[in-house]
Amino acid sequence: MLIAQLSDLHVAENGLAYGQAPSTQALANAVAYLNALVPAPDVVLVSGDIADHGLDGEYAQAASLLGRLKARFLPIPGNHDNRARLRAAFAPQSSLQAAHPDAPVRYVDDTLPLRLVGLDSTRPGQHGGGLTPQDLDWLEQVLAEGRPTLLFMHHPPFTVGIGNMDADGFTRAAPLQDLLGRFPNVARLCCGHMHRPVVRAFGGTLACIAPSTSLQLALDLTPDAPSRFMLEPGGLALHYLACPDRDPAGLVTHFGLIPGCGHSFPGPFPFYGVTR
Ligand SMILES: [Fe+2]
């Protein structure tokens, strides 16, 4: 079972996020990469910041590009997204239906051996994230059903050492950490937002942050690091479970780079059998 994760697409109407990053082309590259991948992913998680400014035109482009995926995809919003517009763009393909279009996005997907739980960590109008008491109650009920679960949301509930991003904090990080610590069936917590690949232990599970498909945050761990980004290659995460029946805890996560937008990676070359 292969679960791909794309994050922080930042699709922009003029094709450039922050005036520099060719984010729309980068998403096209990511889609082509996944469509050529062997084995093919069973599903693609899209962990937020799909549109750069939450605009209808950006969602139209994102929906068109993601619609080319051979695999089905599951989107959740990030702080750059607009819940109602995201729902309008993607509702036909996902579990985004809600009584009100601005309601938080929450859903469970039980089509694979690993239950996939999408949770909305955005706080509308704010850069940072968090969960509500209602989110935590809902999540506890879902986890109490005991199925092996991959939980995904946009904001990581912990700091990563990049000061300008850490400053926002995460509302109710401690109760979430306690909750996940009580449910060993949580195989992974998958996030985005930080535009870098990062892992840490959190509440008894492993938390993984996927890089952006386009622009990456400058890797600057000084306490007063300014907010800057790099045009490093786009990336993605691949969560792979070889034997769901015999080894359901054997989920591994790979981080990969996506060629294109000026980046190419020669190879693969054989290690052995080459004449010197
Ligand atoms: Fe982002």
Side-chain angles (χ1 to χ4, degrees):
M1 182 186 59
L2 183 60
I3 300 167
Q5 183 188 359
L6 302 180
S7 198
D8 294 273
L9 287 47
H10 287 263
V11 170
E13 280 191 311
N14 69 354
L16 292 176
Y18 296 96
Q20 294 281 346
S23 54
T24 304
Q25 180 58 48
L27 175 56
N29 298 340
V31 169
Y33 180 94
L34 288 177
N35 282 345
L37 200 61
V38 180
D42 294 288
V43 67
V44 180
L45 311 179
V46 185
S47 52
D49 281 3
I50 295 168
D52 199 26
H53 302 94
L55 302 175
D56 286 327
E58 296 171 341
Y59 287 115
Q61 290 190 44
S64 173
L65 289 167
L66 290 169
R68 298 180 192 173
L69 282 168
K70 294 177 183 175
R72 64 197 182 90
F73 61 93
L74 298 175
I76 56 169
N79 50 290
H80 281 250
D81 288 308
N82 175 288
R83 287 172 178 164
R85 290 176 182 149
L86 185 151
R87 278 197 164 95
F90 297 114
Q93 300 186 49
S94 63
S95 311
L96 297 172
Q97 303 295 342
H100 193 282
D102 292 318
V105 173
R106 301 182 194 125
Y107 54 81
V108 173
D109 184 284
D110 274 336
T111 57
L112 296 173
L114 196 61
R115 166 175 276 188
L116 306 174
V117 177
L119 193 52
D120 188 339
S121 63
T122 65
R123 294 180 288 173
Q126 299 188 45
H127 184 260
L131 296 177
T132 64
Q134 293 76 23
D135 292 326
L136 293 170
D137 289 345
W138 178 86
L139 181 60
E140 182 164 7
Q141 290 178 28
V142 168
L143 297 180
E145 293 172 16
R147 288 200 54 173
T149 295
L150 182 154
L151 170 64
F152 63 107
M153 59 187 191
H154 180 68
H155 296 85
F158 48 82
T159 58
V160 299
I162 299 178
N164 61 82
M165 296 293 282
D166 290 346
D168 291 322
F170 185 97
T171 304
R172 296 184 181 83
L176 175 63
Q177 189 168 23
D178 174 69
L179 177 63
L180 298 187
R182 291 189 281 116
F183 289 97
N185 50 316
V186 182
R188 195 73 89 244
L189 168 60
C190 299
C191 305
H193 188 58
M194 292 296 174
H195 291 235
R196 295 216 66 84
V198 182
V199 298
R200 68 155 276 179
F202 185 83
T205 191
L206 178 65
C208 294
I209 303 175
S212 166
T213 51
S214 181
L215 61 154
Q216 313 304 336
L217 281 192
L219 183 52
D220 183 345
L221 301 180
T222 56
D224 55 352
S227 181
R228 297 179 299 180
F229 64 92
M230 306 289 289
L231 296 182
E232 296 175 10
L236 81 170
L238 296 173
H239 310 286
Y240 179 61
L241 184 56
C243 302
D245 296 328
R246 282 193 290 114
D247 185 18
L251 187 70
V252 297
T253 293
H254 296 266
F255 296 105
L257 301 177
I258 303 167
C261 295
H263 302 284
S264 63
F265 315 116
F269 303 107
F271 279 110
Y272 305 109
V274 178
T275 304
R276 293 175 187 268

